[in-house]
Amino acid sequence: MILPLLPAGLGALGPQPLPKGGCAAYLWSVPEPRALIATAAPASLRLRLDDKLVDLPSADASGAIVRGFARTTRYVAGPVVATVTMTVIERADIAGGALVADATLTVERAGGDAVVVPVGGLVGCG
């Protein structure tokens, strides 16, 4: 089994449920092998940092909105700032969701380095 190489401190998430009555973006590291590293909703972002689940509330967003997601959304909790920049593409062959393309996850910690991870994924709506 080949494990994905993730930046120090950033870990893979286990299975995540679809939200009831809303949408979530499921973001995987790219290229292969992939790991689910974040789930985003318009109001929050879930990551595994230093082997702990962290939920960061959204602070601001900008750009075109598709399925409730802006092109760029910044999430902040204490010393952690995470920014998701993505293009959400609605396609006829994806029922109840959309494709996430051209995407990055940037994680910054006060007094530390920033990590930029290329991601891709899907938006699922419950």
Side-chain angles (χ1 to χ4, degrees), residues 92-112:
D93 62 337
I94 300 176
L99 177 70
V100 174
D102 185 30
T104 58
L105 167 65
T106 304
V107 180
E108 303 172 75
R109 299 189 211 200

Side-chain angles (χ1 to χ4, degrees), residues 9-115:
L10 189 61
L13 296 175
Q16 300 293 302
L18 275 174
K20 293 182 179 173
C23 297
Y26 299 86
L27 305 174
W28 286 272
S29 57
V30 292
E32 299 278 350
R34 290 182 166 86
L36 178 65
I37 60 169
T39 57
S44 65
L45 177 74
R46 173 167 281 182
L47 302 170
R48 181 174 298 281
L49 293 176
D50 300 326
D51 208 29
K52 296 177 185 145
L53 284 179
V54 178
D55 291 308
L56 293 83
S58 65
D60 52 67
S62 62
I65 296 174
V66 178
R67 293 266 178 175
F69 293 95
R71 168 80 175 134
T72 301
T73 304
R74 196 168 62 97
Y75 303 88
V76 180
V80 179
V81 177
T83 304
V84 175
T85 301
M86 63 184 174
T87 301
V88 177
I89 302 167
E90 295 191 272
R91 294 182 7 184
D93 62 337
I94 300 176
L99 177 70
V100 174
D102 185 30
T104 58
L105 167 65
T106 304
V107 180
E108 303 172 75
R109 299 189 211 200
D113 293 331
V115 175

